[in-house]
Structure formats: structure tokens, C-alpha cells
């Protein structure tokens, strides 16, 4: 930075004063200058300027212009004199002001007038202001405009161009200085960043206008090790951003699902009473469907294979003017997930227990499902007409599962019934209605429908058909609905009696057509208004399922290389499952996969609804899989293709037949299993060292026998020192295949020589265990 020396005599010359007068002014505030050539500091100059300004006031601005006209000849005389940034006109102005201040007749009048200080004709050392600007504005910001600039730089050289040019240049320079100051203020203002729930380190650095290295360093300082592409959560990102001087706002991303599906909470004014949904649960063949048959006065049992319910049925009945919806769930162990779905979407559970059979495994499972769903349980003790009926034993068993009868001081309602003879049915229904009244069940029928898919199947002529239970809102014919990864418009809607209906309110089961695909039972369905967004949401869900499946079949990396190599030793049985309804396919798939063990993995590579077709056979041939058909048959093309490809197809009507047959087949695929069998012990009595062989042990066989091909452990004080194989076995000088108890022998251990007298050799063989 340039520096201009401003001496005492220069100040005196510029302001029309003697050096002595300047020295006296300086002496009032500082130490007197020792000579007229002494250079004054910025602080001293400021004091002198302030003193002169205070003691040289003018009456009005007009006086300045009047004095300026009179002073023009004299100002021209001083034009060529060297003056350090102080105009000669200031001398005249100062003189005039000084003379004016010495007129006593105008003193009182001037005191009442407004005083104006004339600074337009005074030259000031602008270099000293550059230092102050430099302290306010950083060098980085000044460099933006191409280097530092001085307020008065080059002003003395351009005096010839006139005051107009100087004023314009000074104005531009002042604007440039202000712009730099504004940039500095903006720089010091905290940057606001909007951070989502998850963000990568690189994205966070870009938002904060920092380098990734700075962010990684801050993370490491706080104990978080992350790379530039690694994702961190909002809390971590917020902490790091705040530490680096940024202001953080949480960016909430609204998904298509949130925009499309109405999930607002109903108010008390919107809610209206609704009918209860009752699930009938219990062990297989305890009379659940017979109970529903008695309630509906129809026979729905005939036609079910082995008397086992293998689909979910939903029925609505009127009891004394009160509608009740019943769900019938299968009782076999294979249908665990179907029973769980039935419990989660209902209000009351009727637990059917046979009076002559008692609590069974699926009964316990049904109790657990009802408790998990937090719904009240009404126990119906069925088959009371049988001679061996013992309800007291049933009540005693129920107490073991925290179901204490009311007559014993508990809260569980117990109703003895006979579904076959219709006894106790009315009392059971009365208890259902009473329990529903206590619950005060309500829903809002004036909103978009929401509910659960109870069952789904593929019909050859009508396409995908789904049984829906509306839990809230009203479903209308023509509504667009999303059910899992299926989307479509409701074309035809029928109730449980096969009648076509236009609307279905809360607690009403209906069967619909119009979906593009078969949904999965248990999927939640929603009625929406925007079909385009609905299809986009379904595509997102399908992609998410594909991504999840791709993770299971990921390519080999260094991370999973060991796992992949280990899995190669495990045999696989590939299966393709086809069933008449989705619920059955799901049950068969789940139970077959449970047959996997440590050595054989059962893998269902495909499951679907409908007849076995040629594409199923093609897939089975490629993957070397067996096709399992449940209540379905192959079409003609599939049968011919299976014969050509030699694909094994198995058809079943009852689920446990399929499970048992596959389990039996798996046993033939299991690798042989071995167990250890100890055949004898030998004690070391003496040792010999042979250079070509190593250590030879002279042994005495204590029990059993020692064989040449046996494995051996070396025990010392019952501690295993080594486990290996017998190197050589001899009787005297002859090699022996085996040595019995009570005889002596010579033995060596393969690749082991640390043998001492008193050691015990424990010989054993590995024997195969029959499956």
C-alpha cells in the first residue's frame, strides 16, 4: 500500500496558516512537533482537521460560492504548487471563514443561524482511509473486483480534468467499496441449508458450500467414520452443519403415497356406529364352519377336501335387526398367516373348542392371535351333544391361557353350544351383540374407502377377483383402488349372497372385479382419486419388491464371498407352487420353506394362482424344479411339455399330504451324518526315537482294540494334546492291522513326536448314522 508523508509545513500551507499556529494546535492535544518538517500521523491530522472545522464556521452556503469567486485569481497562482491532496481553495475558504468569525457585529446573529461546514473544496489525504477500508474488507473480497483500489488514487494527477471528473470517479469508487462491504456482510451471514431425513456426505458438503474433506473431518472429530458417498441421518447432518456455521431446516419430503392416500384422523362428529366384524377361530375339525352353517342356516361344509376349510369366507347375517359380519378362518397349522390376518381386521373373536377334544395346538395359536390383535374372545364349547363332552375340563384348560370364565370370577364369556343341533346359538349371538355394544364400534362412512383384502383369486373368464372387507369409508362402484401392488377400477361389486351392489360401507365384505393383478391376502386397500398417480405408486411398490428380491440374489463381492462359498455346499430343492386361490398358495409356500434345514434349503422360486401352464413347466425345466399343484391341474399344453422335459409334477388336495411327501423326499437328499465311536485305549510304556520315522511308542492295549486305519487322540492327564491318525502299528517286527486288549504293540502318530511315557492313546472311528 502506498503512503504519502504529510508534514507540519504542508498543513500550514494548505490551510493558510503559519507553521507556528499549527504547532500550537498540536500542542494542545499532543506533544509539540520538534520541527516544521515533522511528519504527522493520521490521528494527529484528524485532530487538526476537527479543530479547524470547529473554529472556522460560515454563515451560509452562499458565502462559500461568493468567496470562491473572489479567490479565483489567487487560486490560479497556487495551481502548479505541489500540494499533497489538499486544494488551494481551502486556504481561501479558511481565510474567509476566519475573517468572518472575527466580525463581532455579526456574532449574535450567527448563533441563531444554521451552521454549514464546507468540505467540497478541501482536499483530504485519502490514503489513510484506504487502511480503514482494508481492515473492514478482506483481501479475498477486494480481489473480486481485480485488486485493491484507493479512494483518492490518482486524484492529484487528474486535477486538470476538473472537479466534475473527480466527483464522478470518487462516487464510483465509493460504490465499489460499498459493494465489497455488502459481500463481506453476506459472507458473514449464516447459510441456511435444508436437510432431508437422509443425505450423503457429498450432498451435504455441496449444500453448505464446503469441501467433502471438511465435512469428513468434522464427522471424524465427532466419532463418525463416513465416506463421501455414505448416507448419514438427519440428526448427524444437522449437528455437523451447525458446527460448520450453517443454519439448518428439516426438509420434509412428501411421497406420492402421502399425497394420494387420505389418512386424516376422523373427528367425533364424523364417526357413526358400525356393525361388528367377528372372526371364528379354533383347531381343525372343531366345528367352526358348522357353527357358521348353523348361523347362516346353509350348508357350506360339503365340498371342502377332508372337511378342512382352505379359503377365507366372509358372510353378513342379520341377528334381531343387527347386522354382523363373520369371517371363517382355516384351523389347520398351515394357515397360520391367514388366521393372523383374520384376527387383525376384526373386532371380536369366537374361539370354538370341541367339548370332547379340548385345547389343541391351533387353539392356542388362535388365542395368541386374538390377544395380539387386542380383541375380546368369546369361547364357544362345541359338540355338547356328544357323550364324552366335558365342558369343565375345557374351562380348566382355558385358565392356563389367562381365559378365566365369568362364573369363576373372570371376564371370558363361555357359551356351551351344539352347532349340529342348533343348541345355544341364540345365546352366543346375544353375547356377540352385547360385546359389540360395549366396544362402541364407529367409523366414518363419508370418506374414501379403506380396508383389507380377505381373499383373492384368478378367474379364467372374469380375471382377478378380490374379496374386500371395508373397514372405514364407503366403497363405490367405479372407484379407483390400490391394493398392494395391484391397481384398478371397481367394475362389478357383489355381496356375500351374490347380489350386485353399488356401494359398501364399513364392516361390509364384498367381492370385486376390475383389478389388473391378483393382490395378496392381507394387503391394505385404499380408494383414491388420481388414477395416474395410483399407477405410479404401484410401480414404485413393484420396484421396491424387485430391489428387495435382488438383494437376496446379489452378485459376489468381497463382503459376501465367504457366505457364497459356504452356501455352495448346501443343496437346494427348487419348487414351483400353483394353487386355486392366493391364500392356499401362500400357505403351501410358507410351510414348504419351513422344511429347510442346515444342509438342504427348500426354495420356492415361483408361486401363483391358476392352472399349471406351459410357462411354469419351462421355468421348472430351466431351474430343475418340481411343480406342486394344490387344487389345480395342468392344462394339455403343460402336460405335454412336462412329458417332453421330464419335469416332475405333484398334485394334492390336502395340504399336509404335500408337506409329508416333500419331507420324505428331502431325507434322501441329506448328506450322510457321522458320529464318533471310541474303539480302544492304549497306554505308552516306553518311547524310542528312530531317525527315519520319528518317535515310536511301546504301548499296552488297555481296552477295546487298536486298528491301523483308526484316528487317535493323545491324552496327557486327560487333556487332549493332539488329534491325528495312526502312522504305523506293529506286533514285534511285523506290521499289524489291529491289536486287541491285553497285548503290547508299537505305534507311531502321523506327524507328531511329542510322546512321553504315561500318555494315553484314545483310538476312534467315524460311523455313519442312518437318517
Amino acid at each position: 500500500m502506498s503512503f504519502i508523508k504529510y508534514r507540519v509545513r504542508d498543513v500550514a500551507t494548505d490551510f493558510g496558516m503559519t507553521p507556528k499556529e499549527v504547532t500550537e494546535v498540536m500542542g494542545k492535544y499532543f506533544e509539540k512537533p520538534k520541527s516544521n518538517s515533522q511528519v504527522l500521523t493520521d490521528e494527529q491530522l484528524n485532530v487538526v482537521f476537527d479543530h479547524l472545522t470547529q473554529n472556522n464556521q460560515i454563515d451560509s452556503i452562499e458565502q462559500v460560492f461568493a468567496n470562491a469567486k473572489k479567490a479565483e485569481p489567487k487560486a490560479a497562482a497556487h495551481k502548479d504548487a505541489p500540494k499533497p491532496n489538499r486544494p488551494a481553495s481551502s486556504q481561501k475558504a479558511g481565510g474567509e471563514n476566519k475573517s468572518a468569525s472575527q466580525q463581532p457585529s455579526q456574532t449574535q446573529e450567527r448563533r441563531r443561524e444554521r451552521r454549514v461546514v464546507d468540505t467540497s473544496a478541501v482536499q483530504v489525504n485519502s490514503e489513510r482511509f484506504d487502511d480503514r477500508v482494508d481492515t473492514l474488507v478482506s483481501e479475498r473480497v477486494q480481489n473480486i473486483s481485480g485488486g485493491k483500489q484507493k479512494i483518492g488514487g490518482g486524484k492529484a494527477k487528474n486535477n486538470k480534468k476538473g472537479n466534475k471528473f473527480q466527483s464522478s470517479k470518487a462516487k464510483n469508487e465509493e460504490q465499489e467499496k460499498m459493494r465489497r462491504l455488502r459481500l463481506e456482510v453476506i459472507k458473514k451471514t449464516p447459510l441456511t441449508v435444508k436437510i432431508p431425513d437422509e443425505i450423503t456426505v457429498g450432498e451435504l458438503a455441496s449444500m453448505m458450500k464446503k469441501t467433502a474433506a471438511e465435512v469428513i473431518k468434522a464427522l471424524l472429530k465427532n466419532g463418525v467414520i463416513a465416506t463421501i458417498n455414505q448416507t448419514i441421518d438427519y440428526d448427524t447432518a444437522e449437528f455437523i452443519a451447525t458446527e460448520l456455521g450453517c443454519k439448518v431446516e428439516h426438509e420434509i419430503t412428501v411421497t406420492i403415497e402421502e399425497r394420494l392416500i387420505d389418512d386424516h384422523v376422523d373427528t367425533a362428529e364424523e364417526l357413526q356406529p358400525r356393525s361388528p366384524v367377528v372372526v371364528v377361530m379354533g383347531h381343525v375339525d372343531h366345528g367352526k364352519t358348522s357353527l357358521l352353517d348353523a348361523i347362516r342356516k346353509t350348508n357350506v361344509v360339503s365340498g371342502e377336501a377332508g372337511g378342512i376349510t382352505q379359503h377365507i369366507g366372509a358372510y353378513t347375517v342379520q341377528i334381531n335387526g343387527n347386522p354382523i359380519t363373520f369371517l371363517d378362518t382355516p384351523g389347520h397349522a398351515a394357515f397360520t398367516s391367514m388366521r393372523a390376518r383374520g384376527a387383525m381386521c376384526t373386532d371380536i373373536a369366537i374361539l370354538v373348542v370341541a367339548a370332547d377334544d379340548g385345547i389343541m395346538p391351533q387353539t392356542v395359536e388362535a388365542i395368541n392371535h386374538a390377544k395380539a390383535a387386542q380383541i375380546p374372545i368369546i369361547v364357544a364349547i362345541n359338540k355338547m351333544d356328544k357323550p364324552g363332552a366335558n365342558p369343565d375340563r375345557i374351562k380348566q384348560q382355558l385358565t392356563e391361557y389367562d381365559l378365566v370364565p365369568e362364573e369363576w370370577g373372570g371376564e371370558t364369556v363361555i357359551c356351551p353350544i351344539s352347532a349340529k343341533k342348533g343348541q345355544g346359538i341364540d345365546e352366543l349371538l346375544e353375547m356377540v351383540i352385547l360385546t359389540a355394544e360395549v366396544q362402541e364400534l364407529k367409523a366414518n362412512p363419508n370418506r374414501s374407502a379403506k380396508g383389507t383384502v380377505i381373499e383373492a383369486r384368478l378367474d379364467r373368464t372374469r380375471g382377478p377377483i378380490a374379496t374386500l372387507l371395508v373397514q372405514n369409508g364407503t366403497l363405490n362402484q367405479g372407484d379407483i383402488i390400490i391394493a398392494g401392488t395391484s391397481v384398478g377400477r371397481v367394475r362389478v361389486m357383489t355381496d356375500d349372497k351374490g347380489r350386485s351392489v353399488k356401494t359398501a360401507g364399513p364392516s361390509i365384505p364384498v367381492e370385486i372385479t376390475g383389478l389388473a393383478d391378483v393382490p395378496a391376502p392381507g394387503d391394505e386397500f385404499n380408494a383414491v382419486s388420481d388414477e395416474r398417480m395410483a399407477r405410479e405408486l404401484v410401480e414404485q411398490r413393484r420396484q421396491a419388491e424387485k430391489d428387495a428380491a435382488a438383494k437376496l440374489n446379489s452378485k459376489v463381492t468381497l463382503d459376501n464371498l465367504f457366505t457364497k462359498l459356504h452356501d455352495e455346499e448346501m443343496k437346494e430343492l427348487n419348487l414351483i407352487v400353483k394353487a386355486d386361490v392366493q391364500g392356499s398358495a401362500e400357505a403351501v409356500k410358507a410351510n414348504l420353506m419351513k422344511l429347510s434345514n442346515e444342509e438342504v434349503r427348500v426354495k420356492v422360486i415361483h408361486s401363483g394362482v391358476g392352472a399349471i401352464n406351459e410357462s411354469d413347466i419351462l421355468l421348472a425345466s430351466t431351474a430343475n424344479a418340481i411343480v406342486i399343484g394344490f387344487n389345480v391341474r395342468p392344462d394339455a399344453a403343460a402336460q405335454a411339455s412336462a412329458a417332453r422335459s421330464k419335469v416332475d409334477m405333484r398334485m394334492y388336495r390336502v395340504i399336509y399330504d404335500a408337506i409329508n411327501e416333500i419331507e420324505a423326499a428331502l431325507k434322501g437328499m441329506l448328506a450322510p451324518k457321522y458320529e464318533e465311536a471310541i474303539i480302544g485305549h492304549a497306554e505308552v510304556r516306553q518311547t524310542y526315537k528312530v531317525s527315519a520315522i520319528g518317535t515310536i511308542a511301546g504301548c499296552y492295549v488297555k481296552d477295546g482294540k487298536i486298528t491301523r486305519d483308526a484316528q487317535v487322540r493323545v491324552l496327557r492327564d486327560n487333556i487332549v494334546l493332539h488329534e491325528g491318525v495312526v502312522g504305523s502299528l506293529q506286533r514285534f517286527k511285523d506290521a499289524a492291522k489291529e491289536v486287541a486288549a491285553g497285548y503290547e504293540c508299537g505305534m507311531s502318530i502321523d506327524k507328531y513326536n511329542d510322546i512321553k511315557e504315561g500318555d494315553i492313546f484314545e483310538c476312534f472311528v467315524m460311523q455313519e448314522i442312518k437318517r
Side-chain angles (χ1 to χ4, degrees):
M1 182 181 72
S2 62
F3 180 75
I4 299 176
K5 297 179 180 180
Y6 206 33
R7 308 176 189 275
V8 173
R9 62 172 175 263
D10 296 332
V11 176
T13 302
D14 286 345
F15 287 98
M17 301 171 64
T18 63
K20 184 178 180 181
E21 291 175 324
V22 176
T23 303
E24 289 176 355
V25 173
M26 293 285 297
K28 292 180 182 180
Y29 305 100
F30 305 100
E31 183 180 352
K32 284 188 177 182
K34 295 179 179 179
S35 66
N36 295 343
S37 60
Q38 180 174 330
V39 178
L40 302 181
T41 64
D42 288 346
E43 185 180 5
Q44 290 172 333
L45 285 171
N46 287 337
V47 172
V48 172
F49 294 158
D50 292 341
H51 177 83
L52 293 176
T53 302
Q54 291 174 5
N55 293 281
N56 292 276
Q57 303 293 324
I58 61 174
D59 296 334
S60 63
I61 195 68
E62 289 82 4
Q63 184 180 347
V64 176
F65 294 106
N67 293 337
K69 289 179 181 179
K70 293 177 184 180
E72 280 180 2
K74 192 170 183 178
H78 292 278
K79 186 174 181 181
D80 296 327
K83 294 179 179 57
N85 298 332
R86 290 293 183 272
S89 60
S90 64
Q91 179 183 352
K92 291 299 179 180
E96 290 296 329
N97 291 342
K98 185 175 180 181
S99 63
S101 65
Q102 294 173 356
Q103 297 178 12
S105 63
Q106 299 178 3
T107 302
Q108 299 295 330
E109 186 177 357
R110 273 202 309 273
R111 289 176 183 172
R112 293 190 296 269
E113 294 175 353
R114 181 184 178 195
R115 296 182 178 184
V116 180
V117 180
D118 177 24
T119 59
S120 62
V122 178
Q123 286 190 351
V124 182
N125 180 15
S126 61
E127 294 291 330
R128 65 189 182 88
F129 292 102
D130 290 330
D131 292 337
R132 187 169 299 177
V133 172
D134 290 342
T135 60
L136 293 174
V137 184
S138 66
E139 185 175 352
R140 179 183 175 186
V141 177
Q142 293 186 51
N143 289 336
I144 294 175
S145 58
K148 299 181 182 179
Q149 297 183 13
K150 309 302 179 192
I151 293 177
K155 197 170 183 180
K157 297 179 182 179
N158 297 321
N159 278 343
K160 295 179 181 180
K161 295 183 181 179
N163 291 335
K164 183 175 180 181
F165 174 76
Q166 292 178 3
S167 176
S168 174
K169 184 177 180 182
K171 184 177 180 181
N172 291 337
E173 291 177 348
E174 186 66 23
Q175 289 176 348
E176 180 64 20
K177 294 288 185 183
M178 293 303 297
R179 188 182 71 82
R180 295 178 193 168
L181 287 171
R182 282 195 297 270
L183 287 174
E184 188 69 17
V185 171
I186 292 171
K187 180 183 176 183
K188 293 180 179 179
T189 304
L191 179 66
T192 301
V193 293
K194 293 183 177 181
I195 301 177
D197 292 334
E198 289 184 342
I199 188 172
T200 64
V201 173
E203 290 171 348
L204 179 62
S206 178
M207 281 185 178
M208 297 189 298
K209 293 180 171 51
K210 304 281 185 184
T211 64
E214 291 177 284
V215 178
I216 293 172
K217 184 178 178 181
L219 286 166
L220 285 172
K221 190 171 70 175
N222 291 280
V224 179
I225 300 174
T227 62
I228 188 171
N229 295 321
Q230 193 166 337
T231 301
I232 56 176
D233 59 15
Y234 169 76
D235 293 333
T236 305
E238 180 194 26
F239 184 83
I240 296 301
T242 305
E243 190 178 79
L244 294 177
C246 295
K247 185 179 178 182
V248 179
E249 293 181 4
H250 193 181
E251 183 182 49
I252 300 174
T253 305
V254 180
T255 63
I256 295 178
E257 189 164 349
E258 291 171 337
R259 291 165 54 191
L260 189 62
I261 296 175
D262 180 13
D263 59 352
H264 82 273
V265 179
D266 297 316
T267 62
E269 293 76 16
E270 294 174 330
L271 294 173
Q272 298 179 18
R274 66 172 177 85
S275 59
V277 179
V278 181
V279 60
V280 182
M281 309 173 79
H283 191 70
V284 60
D285 199 30
H286 274 204
K288 299 179 301 299
T289 309
S290 298
L291 173 59
L292 276 175
D293 177 38
I295 293 172
R296 298 171 60 216
K297 300 295 189 295
T298 57
N299 185 3
V300 296
V301 178
S302 59
E304 291 185 352
I308 300 174
T309 304
Q310 297 178 8
H311 309 159
I312 286 185
Y315 319 102
T316 302
V317 296
Q318 293 285 337
I319 308 298
N320 299 329
N322 299 310
I324 301 177
T325 299
F326 286 92
L327 295 184
D328 181 20
T329 59
H332 190 266
F335 295 87
T336 301
S337 59
M338 296 172 73
R339 280 197 297 281
R341 285 199 303 269
M344 293 304 292
C345 61
T346 54
D347 308 305
I348 301 170
I350 295 179
L351 183 65
V352 180
V353 184
D356 61 341
D357 204 0
I359 305 295
M360 300 299 285
Q362 274 72 56
T363 313
V364 177
E365 191 181 276
I367 293 172
N368 293 333
H369 285 314
K371 286 183 177 180
Q374 298 182 348
I375 57 176
I377 299 173
I378 298 175
V379 179
I381 302 178
N382 195 20
K383 303 185 180 180
M384 289 295 294
D385 56 309
K386 286 199 172 184
N390 188 353
D392 291 334
R393 183 172 67 92
I394 304 299
K395 293 176 184 179
Q396 179 62 41
Q397 290 177 339
L398 289 171
T399 58
E400 298 174 7
Y401 303 97
D402 298 327
L403 297 178
V404 182
E406 286 181 329
E407 57 266 31
W408 291 5
E411 297 180 353
T412 304
V413 179
I414 308 291
C415 296
I417 64 168
S418 173
K420 187 175 181 180
K421 295 189 175 182
Q423 297 173 359
I425 302 297
D426 293 336
E427 290 79 3
L428 174 64
L429 295 176
E430 287 177 7
M431 296 310 302
V432 170
I433 294 172
L434 181 61
T435 305
E437 289 176 354
V438 172
Q439 287 183 284
E440 295 183 351
L441 303 170
K442 292 183 178 181
N444 178 15
N446 302 313
R447 63 177 292 175
S448 299
K450 176 183 177 181
T452 303
V453 178
I454 301 299
E455 186 54 87
R457 68 182 189 276
L458 183 64
D459 188 89
R460 176 175 287 182
T461 56
R462 300 164 64 193
I465 297 176
T467 302
L468 310 180
L469 175 65
V470 181
Q471 294 174 279
N472 203 6
T474 300
L475 182 64
N476 302 291
Q477 187 175 351
D479 282 352
I480 301 164
I481 65 169
I482 297 176
T485 56
S486 303
V487 65
R489 191 181 295 273
V490 179
R491 295 178 183 171
V492 180
M493 189 161 54
T494 56
D495 61 11
D496 60 299
K497 298 173 180 62
R499 299 175 300 193
S500 178
V501 294
K502 300 292 184 184
T503 61
S507 302
I508 302 299
V510 288
E511 191 176 79
I512 67 157
T513 62
L515 292 174
D517 303 290
V518 178
D523 282 347
E524 183 182 280
F525 80 85
N526 295 88
V528 297
S529 56
D530 192 323
E531 186 172 3
R532 183 188 62 81
M533 288 180 64
R535 297 191 181 280
E536 189 174 347
L537 174 59
V538 165
E539 286 302 319
Q540 287 184 359
R541 290 179 177 178
R542 287 174 181 166
Q543 187 60 44
E545 287 186 356
K546 288 180 182 178
D547 294 342
K551 286 182 180 179
L552 298 176
N553 299 317
S554 58
K555 293 184 179 179
V556 176
T557 64
L558 289 177
D559 293 332
N560 64 9
L561 179 60
F562 179 81
T563 304
K564 288 283 185 183
L565 291 173
H566 184 266
D567 287 349
E568 287 299 319
E569 299 174 1
M570 185 170 64
K571 299 177 183 178
E572 281 188 353
L573 174 61
N574 292 329
L575 299 174
I576 294 175
V577 176
K578 296 297 289 289
D580 53 341
V581 294
Q582 188 69 30
S584 298
E586 188 180 302
V588 173
K589 177 182 176 181
N591 280 271
L592 289 175
M593 292 178 70
K594 288 180 184 177
L595 298 176
S596 297
N597 53 47
E598 294 180 355
E599 301 175 48
V600 179
R601 180 170 61 189
V602 178
K603 188 176 181 182
V604 179
I605 60 175
H606 174 65
S607 65
V609 176
I612 299 171
N613 52 44
E614 195 168 8
S615 63
D616 298 327
I617 303 301
L618 179 62
L619 177 59
S621 177
T622 305
N624 194 23
I626 298 172
V627 180
I628 305 296
F630 189 74
N631 282 341
V632 294
R633 303 291 299 174
D635 56 32
Q639 210 154 9
S641 178
R644 288 193 305 270
S645 305
K646 296 183 180 179
V647 171
D648 187 13
M649 293 189 297
R650 302 297 178 98
M651 311 302 162
Y652 302 97
R653 291 267 295 162
V654 179
I655 192 168
Y656 41 73
D657 288 346
I659 296 169
N660 293 338
E661 192 165 333
I662 297 296
E663 188 174 14
L666 282 176
K667 291 181 179 178
M669 294 180 64
L670 297 176
K673 189 173 182 180
Y674 296 90
E675 69 175 0
E676 180 185 294
I678 296 173
I679 61 173
H681 293 85
E683 181 183 356
V684 178
R685 297 282 179 90
Q686 199 171 359
T687 60
Y688 308 92
K689 292 189 182 294
V690 179
S691 59
I693 301 174
T695 302
I696 302 294
C699 302
Y700 176 77
V701 181
K702 298 177 66 178
D703 58 69
K705 63 181 179 179
I706 306 297
T707 61
R708 173 66 182 81
D709 56 354
Q711 298 183 53
V712 63
R713 290 190 189 92
V714 180
L715 306 180
R716 188 174 299 164
D717 297 327
N718 288 324
I719 296 175
V720 178
L721 300 181
H722 175 72
E723 184 173 311
V725 296
V726 175
S728 62
L729 179 65
Q730 286 187 316
R731 277 277 296 162
F732 300 106
K733 294 184 179 181
D734 299 325
K737 290 186 177 180
E738 65 177 47
V739 178
Y743 289 93
E744 292 181 344
C745 63
M747 286 179 62
S748 67
I749 309 298
D750 191 26
K751 299 179 181 178
Y752 186 75
N753 295 313
D754 185 18
I755 303 172
K756 295 183 179 180
E757 294 180 8
D759 288 350
I760 301 295
F761 290 165
E762 184 178 70
C763 292
F764 63 95
V765 294
M766 301 302 294
Q767 294 180 345
E768 183 178 346
I769 302 173
K770 292 184 179 180
R771 295 288 187 177

